[in-house]
Amino acid sequence: METTHDYFMVSLKLLGALGLLIFGMKMMSEALQKMAGPQLRHILAKMTTNRLTGMLTGTLVTSAVQSSSATTVMTVSFVSAGLLTLSQAISVIMGANIGTTLTAWIMSLGYNVDLTNVVFPAFFFGMILIYKKKHRYVGDFLFGIAFMFLSLVMLSSGGKELDLAHNQAVVDFFASFDINSHLTILAFLAIGTIITCIVQSSAAVMAITILLCSTGVLPIYLGIALVMGENIGTTATANLAALGANTQARRAALAHLLFNVFGVIWVLCVFYPFVDMVCSLVGYDPSMAGQTERLPVVLAMFHTCFNVTNTALLIGLIPQMERVVCWLLPEKPQPGQEKLRLKYIEGSLMQTPEIAVLQAQKETAHFAQRVHQMFGMVRELMDQKDDKAFVHLFSQIEHQEDLTDSMELEIARFLEKVSENHLSDETKTKVRQMLREVGELESIGDACYNLARTMRRQRESGKELTAQQRQKLTELMTLCDDALLQMNTIMSGHRQEHDIRETYRIENEINQMRQQLKNDNIRAVDSHEYDYAVGTIFTDFVNECEKLGDYVVNVVQARFGK
């Protein structure tokens, strides 16, 4: 009875250690991403000029953030946001698989080196830095490392306390499996895949495998089968994240799955010779009992050899992989009237606040392009003579106005979700600016719709503007178009590359022209050049154009943080 109680308490300790391991790695990864969020964006966006640099970038970023899932989801987000091509993303994902092997080496270190000398100083200095708000992310990083190392110490000591090597029932259970059968290897591969999919942490499965192998009860062949399953299971995170994303993002996630499945297939074909080769590299003989202290190193070495060899085999076949995933996931045409589908924002992909903010910036820039296109439709409506074509174009503008309302709400909701995270002061400022931008962009959409309604009212009343009024109104709308064009140039680029004074210059011209046209209109009505009703419609046009110009200035000021 006492023995059962001991096993129960040690099992609880091991479960707690696994939870601490996952939490520590998550904390460390998130702290690094917050410290280097903008730099990670620039690294991933700029250092992927070819397959080799893309692969090296994925390796370095994953080694830094200690999470292949974080790198992969980040990469899928970039594909969704149009910052990376599919072929660039595939090379980064290959590198991420190599980078994640560092985790296995750190874990094997935990079973061969006493890490307690590192744990407590890391906790102490981490606590000091967290209270110093300027360096709180460094403190979070140290706490994450401390939790991770502490969990490894607990797993190692817990494994020794369990003493499974002397538990005959456990020994007999694992001995009942035929390690020379491919069916057994496939069964353990499936178990590793399923467990990784459930716990959403390849590190946790690796820790369990190392624990079982280090006690001597789990043969190395079965342990390696679990590691292979973990390689497939870890792809579930990116594929789940990409479910609600656009086609390109889903293709990138699928490429990750195909990459690892291909690797597992070729390893299964040469399983025993390949494992024996890996064992010989670290001086371990699978046929001999004992030597359990070398088993964590064997697992780490296999993980590295597997991913490095798989990448070497496939890095030259990236174009072919791209064609395969495009064939498996073809682009589906959108039938019927356009429905709202945000181009860059995908709610399920919000893994890192900094990446989410980047997606929102791209979506806001796309929003600005849409309202500019809407204004182009309004200008076309003004010159439309055919009644049927007028009604059709007006209904399109009306639909676009509904879409701008929806876009404002969707982007704002997305930014509210981002705000729920712990953000840096710079990121908080960006979120506030974008909330202001989308509100003003929606107002531009309202102004476009109001201009279209005024045109419809004029058409229904049978009142015609004079040739001079039409000419002046065309000049005013051209100025508004210039303002929108300048706004889009600023929204699509880096603000330091542009000058806000050009926007102010166009706005001044719009204001001066509005005042002149209002004065001319009063004089023309007084001198009976046209009736008051025509003058009112013309004034409505002029006022709405001037409002549109004001909204454009507000967007640009928000972009410049003014």
Side-chain angles (χ1 to χ4, degrees):
M1 188 72 179
E2 189 177 342
T3 307
T4 306
H5 179 264
D6 289 344
Y7 274 130
F8 178 72
M9 292 309 295
V10 174
S11 298
L12 283 180
K13 177 182 175 181
L14 290 173
L15 286 173
L18 279 175
L20 198 62
L21 174 70
I22 295 169
F23 176 74
M25 292 195 72
K26 184 173 184 288
M27 190 176 186
M28 184 178 72
S29 176
E30 287 181 353
L32 270 166
Q33 289 175 62
K34 285 172 184 173
M35 280 193 288
Q39 287 75 16
L40 285 179
R41 292 206 299 264
H42 296 314
I43 288 169
L44 276 175
K46 292 181 180 178
M47 287 185 62
T48 52
T49 50
N50 58 54
R51 298 171 201 173
L52 187 60
T53 57
M55 184 267 291
L56 290 172
T57 302
T59 303
L60 292 171
V61 171
T62 307
S63 298
V65 301
Q66 277 298 289
S67 172
S68 61
S69 294
T71 305
T72 307
V73 172
M74 205 185 298
T75 304
V76 170
S77 300
F78 276 13
V79 175
S80 177
L83 290 175
L84 288 179
T85 64
L86 184 56
S87 60
Q88 286 174 322
I90 292 171
S91 65
V92 172
I93 287 167
M94 287 180 176
N97 277 270
I98 295 174
T100 194
T101 61
L102 181 64
T103 308
W105 284 107
I106 292 172
M107 287 183 182
S108 68
L109 184 74
Y111 281 83
N112 292 290
V113 178
D114 185 8
L115 296 173
T116 48
N117 295 329
V118 180
V119 170
F120 299 109
F123 274 130
F124 178 73
F125 289 112
M127 183 186 66
I128 293 172
L129 291 170
I130 286 172
Y131 278 99
K132 286 189 172 183
K133 289 192 175 180
K134 188 178 178 182
H135 302 292
R136 63 183 181 275
Y137 297 137
V138 180
D140 286 342
F141 172 69
L142 286 175
F143 254 63
I145 282 184
F147 280 133
M148 186 175 77
F149 284 177
L150 180 61
S151 68
L152 292 175
V153 171
M154 290 168 66
L155 284 168
S156 180
S157 65
K160 289 171 185 172
E161 285 180 49
L162 274 179
D163 194 22
L164 293 177
H166 294 95
N167 186 315
Q168 198 57 42
V170 176
V171 172
D172 291 343
F173 172 75
F174 284 108
S176 66
F177 293 101
D178 182 7
I179 61 172
N180 294 312
S181 167
H182 272 83
L183 284 175
T184 304
I185 302 301
L186 284 170
F188 273 77
L189 188 150
I191 292 168
T193 302
I194 293 166
I195 295 173
T196 309
C197 288
I198 292 170
V199 300
Q200 287 286 292
S201 172
S202 57
V205 181
M206 179 62 79
I208 294 168
T209 307
I210 291 176
L211 172 68
L212 291 172
C213 285
S214 65
T215 57
V217 296
L218 183 66
I220 189 62
Y221 292 113
L222 302 186
I224 283 174
L226 286 176
V227 172
M228 288 163 64
E230 166 252 305
N231 271 275
I232 296 176
T234 194
T235 64
T237 308
N239 279 281
L240 286 171
L243 280 178
N246 60 28
T247 305
Q248 284 294 89
R250 284 186 285 121
R251 285 171 178 170
L254 179 62
H256 187 207
L257 174 62
L258 292 180
F259 172 78
N260 282 353
V261 168
F262 175 82
V264 166
I265 289 170
W266 73 255
V267 167
L268 284 173
C269 294
V270 291
F271 183 74
Y272 293 103
F274 188 79
V275 174
D276 291 343
M277 182 270 293
V278 170
C279 290
S280 66
L281 289 175
V282 295
Y284 174 77
D285 186 354
S287 62
M288 291 179 64
Q291 309 178 66
T292 53
E293 71 280 353
R294 287 184 180 271
L295 288 173
V297 181
V298 174
L299 289 171
M301 180 61 79
F302 171 82
H303 201 216
T304 303
C305 290
F306 169 80
N307 284 297
V308 170
T309 309
N310 202 28
T311 299
L313 288 171
L314 288 177
I315 196 164
L317 300 174
I318 286 177
Q320 287 76 12
M321 285 184 69
E322 188 175 5
R323 283 199 290 271
V324 169
V325 293
C326 289
W327 175 70
L328 290 171
L329 285 175
E331 195 79 57
K332 292 181 181 177
Q334 295 291 325
Q337 193 178 41
E338 179 191 10
K339 294 180 181 178
L340 175 66
R341 181 176 176 83
L342 298 181
K343 189 174 181 182
Y344 300 108
I345 286 176
E346 308 293 349
S348 59
L349 284 175
M350 215 164 56
Q351 179 81 357
T352 309
E354 284 74 16
I355 304 299
V357 167
L358 178 68
Q359 287 178 281
Q361 282 178 331
K362 296 277 287 181
E363 195 66 65
T364 306
H366 179 233
F367 192 2
Q369 291 168 2
R370 287 191 78 126
V371 294
H372 191 187
Q373 291 166 1
M374 188 178 174
F375 185 71
M377 294 166 72
V378 171
R379 295 184 75 186
E380 186 184 341
L381 187 73
M382 186 179 174
D383 298 325
Q384 193 57 254
K385 303 296 182 187
D386 182 70
D387 287 340
K388 191 175 179 181
F390 183 93
V391 170
H392 177 68
L393 189 54
F394 181 84
S395 69
Q396 284 187 309
I397 293 170
E398 198 168 35
H399 180 63
Q400 287 297 318
E401 201 275 333
D402 290 338
L403 287 180
T404 58
D405 290 346
S406 299
M407 281 190 81
E408 179 200 13
L409 287 173
E410 289 300 318
I411 296 172
R413 283 188 191 126
F414 183 80
L415 289 170
E416 283 173 1
K417 285 183 184 177
V418 176
S419 301
E420 291 171 5
N421 294 279
H422 295 291
L423 305 176
S424 64
D425 293 337
E426 181 189 358
T427 305
K428 286 177 185 174
T429 303
K430 284 180 183 175
V431 169
R432 284 195 297 269
Q433 287 173 358
M434 276 187 283
L435 285 170
R436 185 178 159 202
E437 285 167 17
V438 294
E440 297 295 343
L441 286 168
E442 193 276 332
S443 296
I444 293 174
D446 288 345
C448 290
Y449 182 50
N450 289 337
L451 283 167
R453 288 172 63 194
T454 305
M455 289 175 193
R456 185 178 66 173
R457 179 161 53 89
Q458 177 215 332
R459 200 178 186 93
E460 290 172 351
S461 69
K463 302 289 183 182
E464 287 291 333
L465 298 180
T466 66
Q468 187 179 14
Q469 282 178 320
R470 291 185 70 84
Q471 181 191 342
K472 292 295 182 184
L473 197 53
T474 300
E475 290 175 14
L476 182 59
M477 293 181 84
T478 301
L479 279 174
C480 289
D481 193 71
D482 290 343
L484 286 164
L485 185 64
Q486 178 66 13
M487 177 190 77
N488 271 292
T489 303
I490 291 168
M491 293 289 287
S492 301
H494 298 287
R495 61 187 178 190
Q496 59 267 25
E497 297 170 1
H498 303 286
D499 193 339
I500 198 172
R501 286 176 294 184
E502 178 62 15
T503 298
Y504 287 152
R505 183 192 66 75
I506 298 171
E507 168 65 4
N508 286 333
E509 283 191 40
I510 292 173
N511 288 340
Q512 289 170 12
M513 192 169 185
R514 177 209 55 175
Q515 197 56 48
Q516 181 193 338
L517 292 178
K518 287 181 82 171
N519 292 338
D520 290 347
N521 184 61
I522 293 169
R523 179 191 53 75
V525 171
D526 283 346
S527 59
H528 303 291
E529 291 179 24
Y530 44 78
D531 63 26
Y532 183 79
V534 173
T536 302
I537 290 171
F538 182 68
T539 303
D540 288 345
F541 278 127
V542 172
N543 286 340
E544 210 59 57
C545 285
E546 193 272 334
K547 284 181 189 175
L548 190 148
D550 287 343
Y551 298 140
V552 169
V553 172
N554 292 343
V555 172
V556 174
Q557 284 180 334
R559 178 74 172 148
F560 276 90
K562 294 183 181 292

mmCIF file with all atom_site columns, all heavy atoms in Angstrom, residues 185-195 225 229:
data_model
loop_
_atom_site.group_PDB
_atom_site.id
_atom_site.type_symbol
_atom_site.label_atom_id
_atom_site.label_alt_id
_atom_site.label_comp_id
_atom_site.label_asym_id
_atom_site.label_entity_id
_atom_site.label_seq_id
_atom_site.pdbx_PDB_ins_code
_atom_site.Cartn_x
_atom_site.Cartn_y
_atom_site.Cartn_z
_atom_site.occupancy
_atom_site.B_iso_or_equiv
_atom_site.pdbx_formal_charge
_atom_site.auth_seq_id
_atom_site.auth_comp_id
_atom_site.auth_asym_id
_atom_site.auth_atom_id
_atom_site.pdbx_PDB_model_num
ATOM 1  N N   . ILE A 1 185 ? 7.133  -0.328 -34.084 1.00 0.00 ? 185 ILE A N   1
ATOM 2  C CA  . ILE A 1 185 ? 7.669  1.027  -34.308 1.00 0.00 ? 185 ILE A CA  1
ATOM 3  C C   . ILE A 1 185 ? 6.558  1.962  -34.764 1.00 0.00 ? 185 ILE A C   1
ATOM 4  O O   . ILE A 1 185 ? 6.441  3.094  -34.276 1.00 0.00 ? 185 ILE A O   1
ATOM 5  C CB  . ILE A 1 185 ? 8.810  0.986  -35.354 1.00 0.00 ? 185 ILE A CB  1
ATOM 6  C CG1 . ILE A 1 185 ? 9.938  0.046  -34.908 1.00 0.00 ? 185 ILE A CG1 1
ATOM 7  C CG2 . ILE A 1 185 ? 9.348  2.394  -35.617 1.00 0.00 ? 185 ILE A CG2 1
ATOM 8  C CD1 . ILE A 1 185 ? 10.576 0.391  -33.591 1.00 0.00 ? 185 ILE A CD1 1
ATOM 9  N N   . LEU A 1 186 ? 5.712  1.487  -35.685 1.00 0.00 ? 186 LEU A N   1
ATOM 10 C CA  . LEU A 1 186 ? 4.593  2.311  -36.184 1.00 0.00 ? 186 LEU A CA  1
ATOM 11 C C   . LEU A 1 186 ? 3.603  2.622  -35.064 1.00 0.00 ? 186 LEU A C   1
ATOM 12 O O   . LEU A 1 186 ? 3.064  3.739  -35.001 1.00 0.00 ? 186 LEU A O   1
ATOM 13 C CB  . LEU A 1 186 ? 3.871  1.576  -37.323 1.00 0.00 ? 186 LEU A CB  1
ATOM 14 C CG  . LEU A 1 186 ? 4.575  1.564  -38.684 1.00 0.00 ? 186 LEU A CG  1
ATOM 15 C CD1 . LEU A 1 186 ? 3.880  0.618  -39.645 1.00 0.00 ? 186 LEU A CD1 1
ATOM 16 C CD2 . LEU A 1 186 ? 4.605  2.985  -39.282 1.00 0.00 ? 186 LEU A CD2 1
ATOM 17 N N   . ALA A 1 187 ? 3.367  1.650  -34.180 1.00 0.00 ? 187 ALA A N   1
ATOM 18 C CA  . ALA A 1 187 ? 2.430  1.867  -33.062 1.00 0.00 ? 187 ALA A CA  1
ATOM 19 C C   . ALA A 1 187 ? 2.952  2.963  -32.130 1.00 0.00 ? 187 ALA A C   1
ATOM 20 O O   . ALA A 1 187 ? 2.198  3.865  -31.728 1.00 0.00 ? 187 ALA A O   1
ATOM 21 C CB  . ALA A 1 187 ? 2.232  0.563  -32.290 1.00 0.00 ? 187 ALA A CB  1
ATOM 22 N N   . PHE A 1 188 ? 4.241  2.916  -31.788 1.00 0.00 ? 188 PHE A N   1
ATOM 23 C CA  . PHE A 1 188 ? 4.806  3.944  -30.903 1.00 0.00 ? 188 PHE A CA  1
ATOM 24 C C   . PHE A 1 188 ? 4.909  5.295  -31.608 1.00 0.00 ? 188 PHE A C   1
ATOM 25 O O   . PHE A 1 188 ? 4.774  6.346  -30.976 1.00 0.00 ? 188 PHE A O   1
ATOM 26 C CB  . PHE A 1 188 ? 6.174  3.490  -30.382 1.00 0.00 ? 188 PHE A CB  1
ATOM 27 C CG  . PHE A 1 188 ? 6.079  2.661  -29.137 1.00 0.00 ? 188 PHE A CG  1
ATOM 28 C CD1 . PHE A 1 188 ? 5.689  1.328  -29.208 1.00 0.00 ? 188 PHE A CD1 1
ATOM 29 C CD2 . PHE A 1 188 ? 6.335  3.203  -27.893 1.00 0.00 ? 188 PHE A CD2 1
ATOM 30 C CE1 . PHE A 1 188 ? 5.571  0.549  -28.056 1.00 0.00 ? 188 PHE A CE1 1
ATOM 31 C CE2 . PHE A 1 188 ? 6.222  2.452  -26.734 1.00 0.00 ? 188 PHE A CE2 1
ATOM 32 C CZ  . PHE A 1 188 ? 5.833  1.111  -26.816 1.00 0.00 ? 188 PHE A CZ  1
ATOM 33 N N   . LEU A 1 189 ? 5.127  5.264  -32.920 1.00 0.00 ? 189 LEU A N   1
ATOM 34 C CA  . LEU A 1 189 ? 5.124  6.512  -33.694 1.00 0.00 ? 189 LEU A CA  1
ATOM 35 C C   . LEU A 1 189 ? 3.745  7.173  -33.611 1.00 0.00 ? 189 LEU A C   1
ATOM 36 O O   . LEU A 1 189 ? 3.632  8.387  -33.402 1.00 0.00 ? 189 LEU A O   1
ATOM 37 C CB  . LEU A 1 189 ? 5.479  6.194  -35.150 1.00 0.00 ? 189 LEU A CB  1
ATOM 38 C CG  . LEU A 1 189 ? 5.709  7.380  -36.105 1.00 0.00 ? 189 LEU A CG  1
ATOM 39 C CD1 . LEU A 1 189 ? 6.712  6.991  -37.190 1.00 0.00 ? 189 LEU A CD1 1
ATOM 40 C CD2 . LEU A 1 189 ? 4.410  7.814  -36.788 1.00 0.00 ? 189 LEU A CD2 1
ATOM 41 N N   . ALA A 1 190 ? 2.683  6.343  -33.743 1.00 0.00 ? 190 ALA A N   1
ATOM 42 C CA  . ALA A 1 190 ? 1.307  6.874  -33.656 1.00 0.00 ? 190 ALA A CA  1
ATOM 43 C C   . ALA A 1 190 ? 1.027  7.415  -32.261 1.00 0.00 ? 190 ALA A C   1
ATOM 44 O O   . ALA A 1 190 ? 0.395  8.478  -32.104 1.00 0.00 ? 190 ALA A O   1
ATOM 45 C CB  . ALA A 1 190 ? 0.312  5.770  -34.004 1.00 0.00 ? 190 ALA A CB  1
ATOM 46 N N   . ILE A 1 191 ? 1.511  6.709  -31.221 1.00 0.00 ? 191 ILE A N   1
ATOM 47 C CA  . ILE A 1 191 ? 1.316  7.171  -29.836 1.00 0.00 ? 191 ILE A CA  1
ATOM 48 C C   . ILE A 1 191 ? 1.983  8.530  -29.630 1.00 0.00 ? 191 ILE A C   1
ATOM 49 O O   . ILE A 1 191 ? 1.396  9.451  -29.052 1.00 0.00 ? 191 ILE A O   1
ATOM 50 C CB  . ILE A 1 191 ? 1.875  6.131  -28.836 1.00 0.00 ? 191 ILE A CB  1
ATOM 51 C CG1 . ILE A 1 191 ? 1.035  4.856  -28.865 1.00 0.00 ? 191 ILE A CG1 1
ATOM 52 C CG2 . ILE A 1 191 ? 1.939  6.713  -27.421 1.00 0.00 ? 191 ILE A CG2 1
ATOM 53 C CD1 . ILE A 1 191 ? 1.653  3.676  -28.145 1.00 0.00 ? 191 ILE A CD1 1
ATOM 54 N N   . GLY A 1 192 ? 3.229  8.661  -30.125 1.00 0.00 ? 192 GLY A N   1
ATOM 55 C CA  . GLY A 1 192 ? 3.945  9.940  -30.009 1.00 0.00 ? 192 GLY A CA  1
ATOM 56 C C   . GLY A 1 192 ? 3.224  11.072 -30.719 1.00 0.00 ? 192 GLY A C   1
ATOM 57 O O   . GLY A 1 192 ? 3.134  12.194 -30.202 1.00 0.00 ? 192 GLY A O   1
ATOM 58 N N   . THR A 1 193 ? 2.661  10.759 -31.895 1.00 0.00 ? 193 THR A N   1
ATOM 59 C CA  . THR A 1 193 ? 1.919  11.776 -32.662 1.00 0.00 ? 193 THR A CA  1
ATOM 60 C C   . THR A 1 193 ? 0.677  12.228 -31.907 1.00 0.00 ? 193 THR A C   1
ATOM 61 O O   . THR A 1 193 ? 0.413  13.429 -31.761 1.00 0.00 ? 193 THR A O   1
ATOM 62 C CB  . THR A 1 193 ? 1.507  11.201 -34.035 1.00 0.00 ? 193 THR A CB  1
ATOM 63 O OG1 . THR A 1 193 ? 2.669  10.773 -34.738 1.00 0.00 ? 193 THR A OG1 1
ATOM 64 C CG2 . THR A 1 193 ? 0.777  12.253 -34.853 1.00 0.00 ? 193 THR A CG2 1
ATOM 65 N N   . ILE A 1 194 ? -0.094 11.252 -31.407 1.00 0.00 ? 194 ILE A N   1
ATOM 66 C CA  . ILE A 1 194 ? -1.363 11.567 -30.728 1.00 0.00 ? 194 ILE A CA  1
ATOM 67 C C   . ILE A 1 194 ? -1.120 12.369 -29.452 1.00 0.00 ? 194 ILE A C   1
ATOM 68 O O   . ILE A 1 194 ? -1.795 13.379 -29.199 1.00 0.00 ? 194 ILE A O   1
ATOM 69 C CB  . ILE A 1 194 ? -2.143 10.262 -30.416 1.00 0.00 ? 194 ILE A CB  1
ATOM 70 C CG1 . ILE A 1 194 ? -2.615 9.605  -31.726 1.00 0.00 ? 194 ILE A CG1 1
ATOM 71 C CG2 . ILE A 1 194 ? -3.337 10.546 -29.502 1.00 0.00 ? 194 ILE A CG2 1
ATOM 72 C CD1 . ILE A 1 194 ? -3.086 8.173  -31.569 1.00 0.00 ? 194 ILE A CD1 1
ATOM 73 N N   . ILE A 1 195 ? -0.136 11.926 -28.640 1.00 0.00 ? 195 ILE A N   1
ATOM 74 C CA  . ILE A 1 195 ? 0.144  12.634 -27.380 1.00 0.00 ? 195 ILE A CA  1
ATOM 75 C C   . ILE A 1 195 ? 0.580  14.077 -27.667 1.00 0.00 ? 195 ILE A C   1
ATOM 76 O O   . ILE A 1 195 ? 0.137  15.017 -26.988 1.00 0.00 ? 195 ILE A O   1
ATOM 77 C CB  . ILE A 1 195 ? 1.227  11.900 -26.557 1.00 0.00 ? 195 ILE A CB  1
ATOM 78 C CG1 . ILE A 1 195 ? 0.715  10.529 -26.101 1.00 0.00 ? 195 ILE A CG1 1
ATOM 79 C CG2 . ILE A 1 195 ? 1.652  12.728 -25.348 1.00 0.00 ? 195 ILE A CG2 1
ATOM 80 C CD1 . ILE A 1 195 ? 1.754  9.671  -25.423 1.00 0.00 ? 195 ILE A CD1 1
ATOM 81 N N   . ALA A 1 225 ? 11.029 6.005  -31.890 1.00 0.00 ? 225 ALA A N   1
ATOM 82 C CA  . ALA A 1 225 ? 9.727  6.003  -32.580 1.00 0.00 ? 225 ALA A CA  1
ATOM 83 C C   . ALA A 1 225 ? 8.809  7.087  -32.008 1.00 0.00 ? 225 ALA A C   1
ATOM 84 O O   . ALA A 1 225 ? 8.098  7.774  -32.747 1.00 0.00 ? 225 ALA A O   1
ATOM 85 C CB  . ALA A 1 225 ? 9.073  4.628  -32.452 1.00 0.00 ? 225 ALA A CB  1
ATOM 86 N N   . GLY A 1 229 ? 7.175  10.401 -33.902 1.00 0.00 ? 229 GLY A N   1
ATOM 87 C CA  . GLY A 1 229 ? 5.767  10.786 -33.798 1.00 0.00 ? 229 GLY A CA  1
ATOM 88 C C   . GLY A 1 229 ? 5.610  12.218 -33.331 1.00 0.00 ? 229 GLY A C   1
ATOM 89 O O   . GLY A 1 229 ? 4.733  12.950 -33.809 1.00 0.00 ? 229 GLY A O   1
#
